Amino acid sequence: MYRIVSKKLLNPTVCMMEIEAPFVAKKAEPGQFIILRVDESGERIPLTVAGFDREKGTVKIIFQIVGATTLKLNALSEGDFIQDFAGPLGVATRVEGLRKVLIIGGGVGCAIALPIAEKLSANGCEVTSVIGFRSKELLILEDEFKAVSDKLFVMTDDGSYGERGNVCVPVSRILSEGERFDEVIVIGPLIMMKFAVEAVRPYGIPCTVSMNPIMIDGTGMCGGCRLSLNRDGEKVIKFACVDGPDFNGYEVDFDEAMSRSAMYRDFERHAYEETCNLFKKKGVNK
Amino acid sequence: MKPNMSLKKNPMPSQDPKVRARNFKEVALGYDEAVAIDEALRCLECKNPACVAGCPVNIRIPEFIKKVKEGDFEGAYNVISETSSLPAVCGRVCPQETQCEAKCVRGIKGEPVGIGRLERFVADWHNAHSEKTPECAAPNGKKVAVVGSGPSGLTCAGDLAKKGFEVTVFEALHLAGGVLVYGIPEFRLPKKIVGQEIENLKAMGVKLETNIIIGKTLTVDELFDMGFEAVFIGSGAGLPRFMGIPGESLKGVYSANEYLTRSNLMKSYENEPVTPIMKGGRVVVVGGGNVAMDAARTALRLGAEKVYIVYRRSMDELPARREEVEHAIEEGVEFKLLNNPVEIIGFNNPDDPRDPKNGFVTGMKCIRMELGEPDEKGRRRPIEVPDSEFLLEVDTVIMSIGTSPNPLIKTTTEGLEVNRHGGIIVEEVSGKTSRDGVYAGGDAVTGAATVISAMGAGKLAARSIAEFLLK
Ligand SMILES: Cc1cc2nc3c(=O)[nH]c(=O)nc-3n(C[C@H](O)[C@H](O)[C@H](O)COP(=O)(O)OP(=O)(O)OC[C@H]3O[C@@H](n4cnc5c(N)ncnc54)[C@H](O)[C@@H]3O)c2cc1C
Ligand code: FES
C-alpha cells in the first residue's frame, strides 16, 4: 500500500498527488511512468512521473479526472492509501548533450513536460517552452515553467489568457524566424502532437513525442500498448511501455494511435458515469 | 488387491460441454476416492517403470499410486511432494500424453493409467484434509532473491525456504503466480489453487514483494548490494509476437497474452468489470498451442457467437494438450486447420472519417496451406496453396503465435549472457548463468515451455544455490 502524502487540485479537472513510494522515487527519471491500481478491484492505469523527491521517497503524479479510475483516485485524500504503485517504467527522456531545446506541452501533458524542462535547465541547457490550454481555467504550472525556461509562450485556444491559438502558432513563428534547436520535445494530446510534429517537420530538427496508449502490465507482456512507426517506408511495431514512451515524432503513425486509443470509448464513458452516480449516491465530494 | 484390467481410464467427471462453454467454473471435476482407487488399480507397478523416466521431474509414480490403492492418500502426497512442488497445478495442466502417460505399458493395449488425474486427486485430497505446512530447516542466515513468481520462481523459493534460506520473491505485477494467474484461465486452473500454493510459501517464511520490476525498480546488482547472496531469475517468456501482416493494429486485434490477462488477471469476465474486453461477436484465434485453446475457450465464455481456430498445420501437429483440443471441440470451437492469415480487414467508411465503427475489425483474409516435406525437426512444413485466399468474417482476432524474450533484465545486468533468441544461457546441470551467484530457469531460459519444466528448473537451481552458498 502506498500513502498519499499530499494532494492539490491544479485546476477543476487536474489533480496533483505526492505518493510515498521510496523504491520508485529512488530510480525515477523524467519521461518515465508508473502503473497504479487505486484499490483491490481496480484497473491498472499508467501515469507519467511528474516529479520525485529521492530523499523523502515520494513521487509526484498529475492526472486529469477523465475516467472511472481517475475519478476514484481523486476521491481519496491526503493520508489515504492506494493499492499498487509500480515503476519506474519505460525509458527516460534522453537529455544528454542537448544545449538548446524547444519544449511543447499541451494540457495535462505539461505535467510530463515540466520535469524534462527542469532537468534540461539544471543541465545548463537553454529551454524555450510553449504551453497550451483550452482556456484560462485549465492553465497549470505556468510559474514552474517560467522558472526553468529562457523563453515561455502561453497559449489558450479561446484567447482567455496569454496568446490566442494553439501551440503550433508560436512554434511555426519561431522556426520560420530562423531560430534553431538541438531537439524539439512534444507532449500532449495525440492530435496536438500530430500537428506540432508537422509544424516542425519542414525544419528537420529531431522531434521527440511522448506516447500514452492504453496499457495493462506496462512490462512488455501483453502488447496492448503497441504502436506503429513508419521507418524508411517500413512499418515497425513497437511496445510503448518498454521501447518508449518516447518516440521519434516523424515516424509515429498518429492516426492509428488515435484510432486505437478510442477502442473502449463506450465502455469508458459508461464506467465513468456509473462511478459518478455511485459517488453521488454515497455523497462523496470531489 | 487384484489389478483392474479395464482397457479404458476411468472417465473424468466434467461439466456438460453446453453448460460449461458459458461459465468460468472448472471444467473437470476430479475423481472421488472410490474412482481414484479403481484407477490406481490399473497400475501394474512395473519393476522398471518407464513412466518415471517420462516425467520431467521423475515423480516416483508407481509408488504414489500404490499408496492410493491402499487408501493412504496423505502417504501418496508425501511421495509426490518429494519431487514436485505444485502437484495440484501439474495434475491439471501437464501434457501427460507426451510425458509419463506416453510411456505407460497399459497404453500399449488400451489407455494408459490416468496418472495426471490421480496426481490431481491426491493433491486436492491433501489440500482439503491437511493443514500441515512443510517443515523447514533452521534458518541458515543466508538471503536469496527470486525474480518472478511463476512456477519456476515459486518452486525455487519453496525449496530454498525448506533448506533454511531467507527468500524474497520479487514480482512485477500486483499479483503472484505468473502465467498460472494471468494466462491459464479459471476454468482450467482455479485461482484458488494457485493462491493456496502461495499461502503455503508465505507460511514457510517466504517474503513476497509485488510491484517490483527487476531491471527497473531494482537491478540484479542492487539485489546483491541489499545483502542477497544469490539471485534466481524466473521471469517467464516475455513479449508476445505478431505476424507482421497488414491490419494487426486494428481495433479488435489482441495478443493472446493481452486477451487472457484482461480476462483472468483483470477479471473482465465479471458482470461489472473495470477493465474492458471485446465480448461477443465472432472471434478467431490464430495458433495451435495451449495458449490458443485457452483464448478460444475464454472467448466462448465471454459470450462469442462463433469461435474459430486458424492453424497452419493439421490436427496431428497441434501442439496443445490433447485434452484441451478435445474440450475445445466439444464446446463448439471450429478448427480451420491448414490455413494461414494473410491480412486483417477493418471497417472504413469513406464518406465519414469520424464514423465510430472505423478501424474495427470486420474480417480476416486467410490462405489455404498443404503439408510439404518434413523440416529438420521432422515436422512437415506448411506451404501456401496458390489462389486459395478466402475471407473469414470476424470481429475479434487473437494472435497466439508465441513470444520473444523480454530484454529488461538482460540489458540492465552486466555480464548476463543470452543466446541468439534472447533466452538466458545456463549450465544445464546447475541452472547457473554466466554471472556468479545468478541462476535462471523456466521460460526465461527455454522460451515458452511447460509448467513442469519450469518447476524442474526451479528445483535444480535451488539445489545449486544451496550448494553454492553452503559450501
Ligand atoms: C495461456 C497459457 C496456457 C498454458 N498452458 C499450459 C499447460 O496447459 N500446460 C503447461 O505445462 N504449460 C502451459 N503453459 C506454459 C506455462 O504456463 C509456462 O511454461 C510456465 O508458466 C513458465 O513458468 P515460469 O516460472 O518460467 O514463468 P512465468 O509463469 O511466465 O512467470 C514469470 C513471472 O515473472 C514476472 N516477471 C517478469 N519479468 C520480471 C521482472 N523484470 N521483475 C520481476 N518480475 C518479473 C512475471 O510478471 C511473471 O509473474 C501455458 C502458458 C500460457 C500463457
Ligand atoms: S502494456 Fe502490456 S506490453 Fe506494454
Side-chain angles (χ1 to χ4, degrees), chain A residues 69-165:
Chain A
T69 298
T70 43
L71 202 59
K72 273 203 269 176
L73 183 56
N74 185 51
L76 299 179
S77 332
E78 231 168 79
D80 288 344
F81 288 84
I82 55 178
Q83 183 72 30
D84 298 295
F85 194 86
L89 296 161
V91 183
T93 302
R94 197 184 61 87
V95 295
E96 294 75 33
L98 300 178
R99 310 302 318 153
K100 191 172 175 200
V101 170
L102 172 62
I103 294 197
I104 309 172
V108 74
C110 293
I112 310 167
L114 180 64
I116 300 171
E118 287 173 338
K119 188 165 170 187
L120 284 165
S121 159
N123 283 359
C125 173
E126 188 183 328
V127 176
T128 300
S129 303
V130 177
I131 57 177
F133 305 90
R134 280 211 308 279
S135 68
K136 187 176 175 211
E137 303 92 73
L138 301 178
L139 174 77
I140 56 171
L141 304 173
E142 185 191 11
D143 292 340
E144 287 82 350
F145 266 101
K146 214 175 261 165
V148 294
S149 309
D150 296 86
K151 278 185 220 146
L152 173 67
F153 299 85
V154 182
M155 308 295 297
T156 51
D157 290 352
D158 61 0
S160 52
Y161 189 80
E163 205 180 321
R164 182 197 188 101

Side-chain angles (χ1 to χ4, degrees), chain B residues 262-277:
Chain B
R262 283 179 183 271
S263 179
N264 296 330
L265 183 69
M266 305 313 297
K267 303 198 169 57
S268 34
Y269 64 80
E270 288 182 342
N271 277 339
E272 291 283 328
V274 295
T275 299
I277 194 165

Side-chain angles (χ1 to χ4, degrees), chain A residues 27 84 219 221-222 226 264, chain B residues 222 248 254-255 257 406:
Chain A
K27 279 290 171 61
D84 298 295
T219 65
M221 182 269 283
C222 77
R226 67 190 182 278
Y264 299 109
Chain B
E222 283 168 324
E248 271 182 311
Y254 291 97
S255 75
N257 273 10
N406 192 324

Side-chain angles (χ1 to χ4, degrees), chain A residues 2 23 27 37 41 43-44 84 87-88 90 216 219-222 224 226 228 235 256 259-260 263-264 267, chain B residues 174 182 211-212 216-217 222 239-240 242 248-249 251-255 257-258 262 273-276 360 406:
Chain A
Y2 303 79
F23 278 135
K27 279 290 171 61
R37 273 198 328 156
S41 61
E43 68 171 331
R44 294 170 66 92
D84 298 295
I216 307 180
T219 65
M221 182 269 283
C222 77
R226 67 190 182 278
S228 300
K235 181 179 152 127
E256 180 190 290
S259 170
R260 282 185 65 80
M263 180 157 169
Y264 299 109
F267 178 94
Chain B
H174 60 261
Y182 73 68
N211 296 328
I212 304 269
K216 286 285 172 191
T217 322
E222 283 168 324
L239 286 57
F242 290 90
E248 271 182 311
S249 300
K251 290 175 278 192
V253 183
Y254 291 97
S255 75
N257 273 10
E258 180 182 356
R262 283 179 183 271
V274 295
T275 299
F360 276 98
N406 192 324

